[in-house]
């Protein structure tokens, strides 16, 4: 028996391995990860870890002993370089073949590069893994003027940490508002104002044409309008690309991620894909993509897909229908999102000032709720959306309506 090989020892891969054991799988489980460290959490890299409030030990997803106690073979610092589907084996970086009965692709995603002149200059960085965070931490201590390219979650979290250290921070963003792809205009506007009041400058509708440098180090960004933005540290956070090449080379279906069905299986029944790198059909994607599939980059998705897959591989198959949810900590503000919002959703706001929620409706149905410093709303929203509890925009707009009662009321 070859057992289950999990390629990628990140959030999804680690959770799949642990869930297999929890579900009673007794065969061999091998977790292969190219990074040199045991599985760790990425979210603190742009938050508490970067701010020096937690150390590397605090990032570990499991204690070292967990893997040996649960007979999970960890192959760290090891890259999977090919999949031999006919031979049911993966080929490792050094040529070793690792046979499998079932292969789980949990390869995550990598940062999208910004291919403009000067991109190779020292001082231009990205943030995806622990090594990036360590390098950034060090760079921050010697930096004075910081530029962030991309006003997405990670760019803004990083910008908030840098501004809190008293550095001069500018954020360059092609869209007209922060987190434009992910959140409503209302939430984006709140965070714009919050970051500006912390001293961060935004340049919206701006593109980077080139990086300029002195002695091999970045000194400025040349923007598309010809202006120069001086910076001695640049963080590029313009989204990710799913690690789908291995799957494509092995003849599996890909297209913005490794394509899987509702059971998280690829078109080869012996290969599944989970986490940031997988594109799957979601009951929460109505009106978001032509084929009803999504690819989600979140801890919730990585964990729940690991669990769902482990259940299938141990004889309890079920479609993946977990409600997507997400959080982001930016400065002193916490954003929590339940469900999947879309660009044309109608917004209804409950609450005001620094504590509010934006209820987002598509085709009259509640699809997502963004809660800013409103953890209670977030927990209720998760239950409302997951259960499909009917809620009209008018009801959501009524401050006297007790949402908790709606959740508790039997239907
Ligand atoms: P990953 O955790 O990226 O793991 C994939 C692993 O596969 C990596 O270790 C990679 O090195 C390895 N790998 C890739 N190719 C190979 C190969 N060929 N062979 C062997 N190994 C390989 N999500 C939230 O919900 N909330 C947050 O606040 C939040 N903050 C984040 C902050 C940062 C800085 C980052 C980077 C991400 C954040 N996320 C957050 C997203 C979350 O961390 C990811 O969604 C989650 O880690 C996805 O898990 P994964 O296992 O799919 O991918």
């Amino acid at each position: 028996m070859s057992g289950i090989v999990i390629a990628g020892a990140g959030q999804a891969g680690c959770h799949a391995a642990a869930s297999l054991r929890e579900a009673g799988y007794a065969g061999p489980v091998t977790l292969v990860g190219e990074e040199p460290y045991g599985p760790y959490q990425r979210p603190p890299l742009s938050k508490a870890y970067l701010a020096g409030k937690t150390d590397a030990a605090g990032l570990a997803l499991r204690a070292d002993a967990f893997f040996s106690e649960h007979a999970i073979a960890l192959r760290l610092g090891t890259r999977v370089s090919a999949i031999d589907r006919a031979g049911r084996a993966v080929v490792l970086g050094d040529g070793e073949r690792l046979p499998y009965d079932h292969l789980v692709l949990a390869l995550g995603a990598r940062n999208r590069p910004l291919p403009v002149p000067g991109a190779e200059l020292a001082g231009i960085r990205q943030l995806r893994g622990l090594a990036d965070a360590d390098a950034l931490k060090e760079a921050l201590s010697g930096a004075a003027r910081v530029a962030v390219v991309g006003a997405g979650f990670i760019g803004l979290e990083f910008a908030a940490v840098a501004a809190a250290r008293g550095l001069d921070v500018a954020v360059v963003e092609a869209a007209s508002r922060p987190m434009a792809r992910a959140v409503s205009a209302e939430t984006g506007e709140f965070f714009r104002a919050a970051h500006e009041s912390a001293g961060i400058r935004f340049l919206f509708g701006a593109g980077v044409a080139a990086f300029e440098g002195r002695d091999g180090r970045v000194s400025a960004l040349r923007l598309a309008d010809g202006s120069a933005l001086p910076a001695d540290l640049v963080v590029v956070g313009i989204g990710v690309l799913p690690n789908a090449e291995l799957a494509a080379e092995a003849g599996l279906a890909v297209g913005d991620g490794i394509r899987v069905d509702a059971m998280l299986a690829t078109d080869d029944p012996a290969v599944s894909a989970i986490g940031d790198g997988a594109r799957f059909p979601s009951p929460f994607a109505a009106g978001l993509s032509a084929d009803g599939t999504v690819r989600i980059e979140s801890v919730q998705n990585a964990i729940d897909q690991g669990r769902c897959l482990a259940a299938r591989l141990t004889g309890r198959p079920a479609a993946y229908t977990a409600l997507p949810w997400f959080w982001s900590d930016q400065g002193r503000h916490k954003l929590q999102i339940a469900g999947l919002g879309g660009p044309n959703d109608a917004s209804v706001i409950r609450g005001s000032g620094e504590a509010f929620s934006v209820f987002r409706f598509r085709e009259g149905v509640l699809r997502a709720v963004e809660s800013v410093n409103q953890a209670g709303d977030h927990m209720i929203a998760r239950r409302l959306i997951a259960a499909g509890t009917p809620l009209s925009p008018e009801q959501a707009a009524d401050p006297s309506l007790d949402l908790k009662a709606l959740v508790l009321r039997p239907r």
Side-chain angles (χ1 to χ4, degrees):
M1 185 189 207
S2 304
I4 298 174
V5 170
I6 304 173
Q11 187 91 51
C14 177
H15 213 83
S19 299
L20 280 166
R21 290 300 184 225
E22 260 166 46
Y25 180 74
V29 174
T30 308
L31 192 51
V32 186
E34 90 183 302
E35 290 183 274
Y37 342 90
Y40 63 93
Q41 312 168 56
R42 291 177 200 278
L45 298 181
S46 49
K47 308 175 182 77
Y49 185 74
L50 194 65
K53 292 178 185 156
T54 187
D55 59 9
L59 301 179
L61 278 168
R62 302 280 175 168
D64 286 348
F66 175 87
F67 299 98
S68 51
E69 281 164 8
H70 290 82
I72 296 167
L74 260 188
R75 301 283 305 261
L76 301 176
T78 305
R79 184 172 170 77
V80 172
S81 56
I83 305 167
D84 172 5
R85 283 170 55 203
R88 292 254 173 119
V90 291
V91 182
L92 304 182
D94 63 1
E96 181 188 341
R97 289 171 65 83
L98 205 56
Y100 63 79
D101 295 317
H102 196 92
L103 173 64
V104 181
L105 299 176
L107 301 165
R110 62 186 181 278
N111 287 328
R112 188 184 285 277
L114 182 57
V116 298
E120 71 296 340
L121 288 165
I124 302 173
R125 304 202 161 273
Q126 297 210 338
L127 179 52
R128 176 78 201 172
L130 184 50
D132 298 324
D134 284 336
L136 258 184
K137 251 173 140 174
E138 202 183 313
L140 270 174
S141 57
R145 279 195 288 211
V146 177
V148 178
V149 183
F153 294 115
I154 292 173
L156 292 179
E157 289 176 356
F158 169 78
V161 171
R165 292 176 64 133
L167 303 179
D168 177 80
V169 183
V171 179
V172 178
E173 166 60 51
S176 57
R177 58 185 169 88
M179 302 175 281
R181 274 181 303 135
V183 304
S184 63
E186 292 83 355
T187 297
E189 171 55 21
F190 172 84
F191 279 95
R192 181 197 60 74
H195 287 304
E196 282 183 351
S197 69
I200 295 171
R201 277 177 301 135
F202 283 101
L203 287 82
F204 290 115
V208 178
F211 294 108
E212 294 174 356
R214 233 174 283 126
D215 305 325
R217 283 200 64 82
V218 69
S219 59
L221 288 72
R222 180 65 58 186
L223 302 182
D225 67 1
S227 62
L229 176 68
D232 48 28
L233 174 63
V234 178
V235 172
V236 177
I238 54 170
V240 300
L241 298 170
N243 290 326
E245 290 77 4
L246 274 181
E249 287 159 11
L252 296 168
V254 300
D256 184 34
I258 303 167
R259 297 267 173 177
V260 292
D261 63 16
M263 311 294 276
L264 308 175
T266 67
D267 35 10
D268 178 341
V271 184
S272 301
I274 55 175
D276 281 14
R279 176 166 273 274
F280 61 96
S282 167
F284 302 98
L288 290 184
S289 65
D291 63 0
T293 66
V294 285
R295 194 176 59 72
I296 295 182
E297 297 151 24
S298 78
V299 165
Q300 167 278 321
N301 187 64
I303 290 177
D304 286 341
Q305 290 196 334
R307 194 178 292 143
C308 176
L309 176 59
R312 169 161 62 86
L313 296 179
T314 52
R316 288 177 296 118
Y320 178 69
T321 56
L323 173 80
W325 57 265
F326 184 79
W327 79 95
S328 173
D329 298 328
Q330 299 179 25
R332 61 195 169 83
H333 301 297
K334 186 170 205 75
L335 168 64
Q336 292 166 289
I337 305 174
L340 297 177
N344 304 314
D345 296 353
S347 293
V348 172
I349 297 176
R350 287 174 71 94
S352 59
E354 294 200 339
F356 64 93
S357 293
V358 181
F359 285 63
R360 304 184 68 184
F361 291 85
R362 210 158 48 246
E363 291 144 5
V365 177
L366 180 66
R367 303 291 185 181
V369 176
E370 299 158 2
S371 299
V372 177
N373 305 319
Q374 283 284 55
D377 277 5
H378 174 70
M379 295 314 292
I380 293 171
R382 278 204 219 168
R383 294 176 64 180
L384 281 177
I385 301 172
T389 307
L391 178 78
S392 68
E394 295 71 27
Q395 284 175 304
D398 175 1
S400 70
L401 179 81
D402 181 2
L403 293 176
K404 209 185 220 162
L406 214 59
V407 167
L408 297 174
R409 189 186 305 156
R411 289 206 289 148

